[in-house]
Every structure is written in structure tokens, then in C-alpha cells.
């Protein structure tokens, strides 16, 4: 399956600032997704990153807060904007499709907002 | 509304035991049912997956049982080892898996030596 590199692995940020998380896949993939996971909890889908078009957001998530880019079939970014302590969480990138079937996840970005 | 229900929330078994984790779904459009294993500080890793045209799938010590009429599926871990201690998530998606995945709530498994 595809290998995903996600960075940064962790960060501590001041409230009101923004953080951009990068997701790089080692092969071209059809679908890329961004999830949020609170420690000890399940995964919540934020949005589907569409190549060459605007991301598709799930209920409760908006583009102004979580802008997403996907310039090609191997790379995507998620920005967490105007952060508050409630945004403290683990953010995960996922990819599906490409040469090998199945979903793969990055190791996540552990974000703490102070 | 939660679409994939998972139980139990946590599970402790002795080494060599067979932990069983159960999931139920509501959306009949789901046609791909993966299980993920997650260790602390890591992203979820695909463990095994099944489609509704088969009732059972085995990969090594991991077996999925699938009951389409009941809309239920379960994960069995044979001869469990302390290294299997992790959080397990069932999931479901449609259109052959190339759509968004809906995750269960997770089961934290501890295998005692």
C-alpha cells in the first residue's frame, strides 16, 4: 500500500494563529482525506481533498476554518486557521487508490493550542 | 447519527485467548468493511477487510466474520499475543471503498502475558 509522510508530527501553537499540515504520498492516489482524532477517541472525517477542485467538507467543518489544497495526485495540505484550544487534537491524512488498493494513514500531527 | 456501532469499548484477554470485537451497520449501501489497528502515537493501519459477498475472511491470526442479513461483522484474533495490544476500529464505506470511510468508536484491547 501507499506510504504517507505527514508533517509536522507535533506542534504547540498560540491561539489565533494558523498551522498548515502537509501530507505527501509516495505514489499517485485517487482519493485523499483529512481526519481529526481526539486522544482515545474515534476518527472524524473533516473533508475529502479533491485534486484540482475545492475540497468536500463534512457537516460541522467549513472551508474558512480548515482550508485544504490538493495540487496534484500525491500531495495535500490542511490548514487549521485562527486556532483555539478546542482545536487541540490529532490530525490525520489518509489516501486511497493508486497502484495498491486500500486506505493508508499517515502517523498524524498532534496539535496543542495554548 | 452514528452509522457503525462497535462493541465492546475495551477488552482484556489472556495470552492465547480469542478476543472478539463486534460491529453493526445501518447503511445498506456499504460494501467494503475494513478493520484498522492503531498503536499509541501512530496512525491507523489496515489490518484486514471484507466485502459482503463472502461470509468469512482469514489473514494469519485475524478473521472477519460477516452476516449480511443481520448487518453485522466481527473480528476474531486467534492465539492473541501481548503485541496485539492496541485499539481496533471497524469501518465501512461504499462504492468499493473509494468513498469516505465511516469508523466505529474503537475497542481498546489489552492482551495480558
Amino acid at each position: 500500500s501507499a506510504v504517507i509522510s505527514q508533517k509536522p508530527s507535533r506542534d504547540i501553537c498560540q491561539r489565533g494563529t494558523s498551522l498548515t499540515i502537509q501530507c505527501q504520498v509516495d505514489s499517485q492516489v485517487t482519493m485523499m482525506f483529512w481526519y481529526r482524532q481526539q486522544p482515545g477517541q474515534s476518527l472524524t472525517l473533516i473533508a475529502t481533498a479533491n485534486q484540482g477542485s475545492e475540497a468536500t467538507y463534512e457537516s460541522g467543518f467549513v472551508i474558512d476554518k480548515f482550508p485544504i489544497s490538493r495540487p496534484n495526485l500525491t500531495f495535500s495540505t490542511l490548514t487549521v486557521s485562527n486556532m483555539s484550544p478546542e482545536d487541540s487534537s490529532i490530525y490525520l491524512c489518509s489516501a486511497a487508490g493508486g497502484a495498491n488498493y486500500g486506505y493508508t494513514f499517515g502517523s498524524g500531527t498532534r496539535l496543542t493550542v495554548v | 447519527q452514528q452509522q457503525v456501532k462497535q462493541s465492546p469499548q475495551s477488552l482484556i484477554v489472556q495470552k492465547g485467548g480469542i478476543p472478539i470485537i463486534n460491529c453493526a451497520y445501518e447503511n445498506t449501501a456499504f460494501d467494503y468493511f475494513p478493520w484498522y489497528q492503531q498503536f499509541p502515537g501512530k496512525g491507523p493501519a489496515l489490518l484486514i477487510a471484507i466485502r459482503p459477498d463472502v461470509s468469512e475472511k482469514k489473514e494469519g491470526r485475524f478473521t472477519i466474520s460477516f452476516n449480511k442479513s443481520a448487518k453485522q461483522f466481527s473480528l476474531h484474533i486467534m492465539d492473541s499475543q501481548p503485541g496485539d495490544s492496541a485499539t481496533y476500529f471497524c469501518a465501512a464505506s461504499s462504492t468499493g471503498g473509494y468513498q469516505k470511510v465511516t469508523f466505529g468508536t474503537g475497542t481498546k484491547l489489552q492482551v495480558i502475558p
Side-chain angles (χ1 to χ4, degrees):
Chain A
S1 59
V3 176
I4 296 179
S5 299
Q6 190 174 334
K7 61 180 182 181
S9 60
R10 60 177 62 231
D11 208 341
I12 301 174
C13 301
Q14 297 290 326
R15 73 172 65 205
T17 63
S18 298
L19 176 71
T20 295
I21 303 168
Q22 298 181 4
C23 178
Q24 178 72 55
V25 189
D26 69 345
S27 60
Q28 292 186 346
V29 291
T30 306
M31 311 290 288
M32 294 184 75
F33 306 90
W34 287 97
Y35 287 85
R36 184 168 71 183
Q37 183 179 31
Q38 300 286 353
Q41 302 296 316
S42 188
L43 289 82
T44 300
L45 180 64
I46 297 172
T48 301
N50 301 308
Q51 194 267 328
S53 63
E54 192 171 285
T56 304
Y57 290 85
E58 297 300 303
S59 177
F61 298 96
V62 295
I63 187 172
D64 290 345
K65 177 66 175 177
F66 298 100
I68 289 171
S69 75
R70 190 177 174 194
N72 56 52
L73 293 177
T74 64
F75 186 78
S76 179
T77 66
L78 168 74
T79 299
V80 186
S81 302
N82 188 25
M83 288 184 286
S84 66
E86 291 70 34
D87 296 320
S88 297
S89 188
I90 300 168
Y91 293 85
L92 292 152
C93 169
S94 176
N100 296 301
Y101 180 80
Y103 286 83
T104 304
F105 283 83
S107 293
T109 297
R110 183 178 292 268
L111 171 63
T112 302
V113 183
V114 297
Chain B
Q1 181 181 6
Q2 182 184 355
Q3 295 187 27
V4 181
K5 297 181 179 180
Q6 183 173 349
S7 63
Q9 185 176 0
S10 62
L11 191 54
I12 301 175
V13 299
Q14 295 279 350
K15 177 183 175 181
I18 305 176
I20 300 173
I21 304 171
N22 299 299
C23 286
Y25 64 98
E26 299 169 358
N27 188 346
T28 56
F30 288 148
D31 61 2
Y32 176 70
F33 302 90
W35 285 88
Y36 289 87
Q37 180 188 55
Q38 186 177 30
F39 294 104
K42 301 293 185 182
L46 179 64
L47 194 60
I48 185 173
I50 196 168
R51 296 190 179 279
D53 53 345
V54 297
S55 60
E56 184 177 277
K57 183 175 182 179
K58 294 182 180 181
E59 287 188 3
R61 296 184 293 106
F62 300 93
T63 299
I64 299 178
S65 297
F66 188 84
N67 185 329
K68 185 176 182 179
S69 60
K71 293 187 287 186
Q72 296 176 347
F73 57 110
S74 60
L75 176 70
H76 301 230
I77 305 175
M78 307 301 177
D79 186 27
S80 59
Q81 302 296 313
D84 296 328
S85 297
T87 299
Y88 293 82
F89 293 95
C90 64
S93 70
S94 61
T95 320
Y98 285 91
Q99 296 297 325
K100 60 185 180 181
V101 175
T102 300
F103 283 85
T105 50
T107 297
K108 187 172 184 178
L109 171 65
Q110 183 178 358
V111 181
I112 301 172

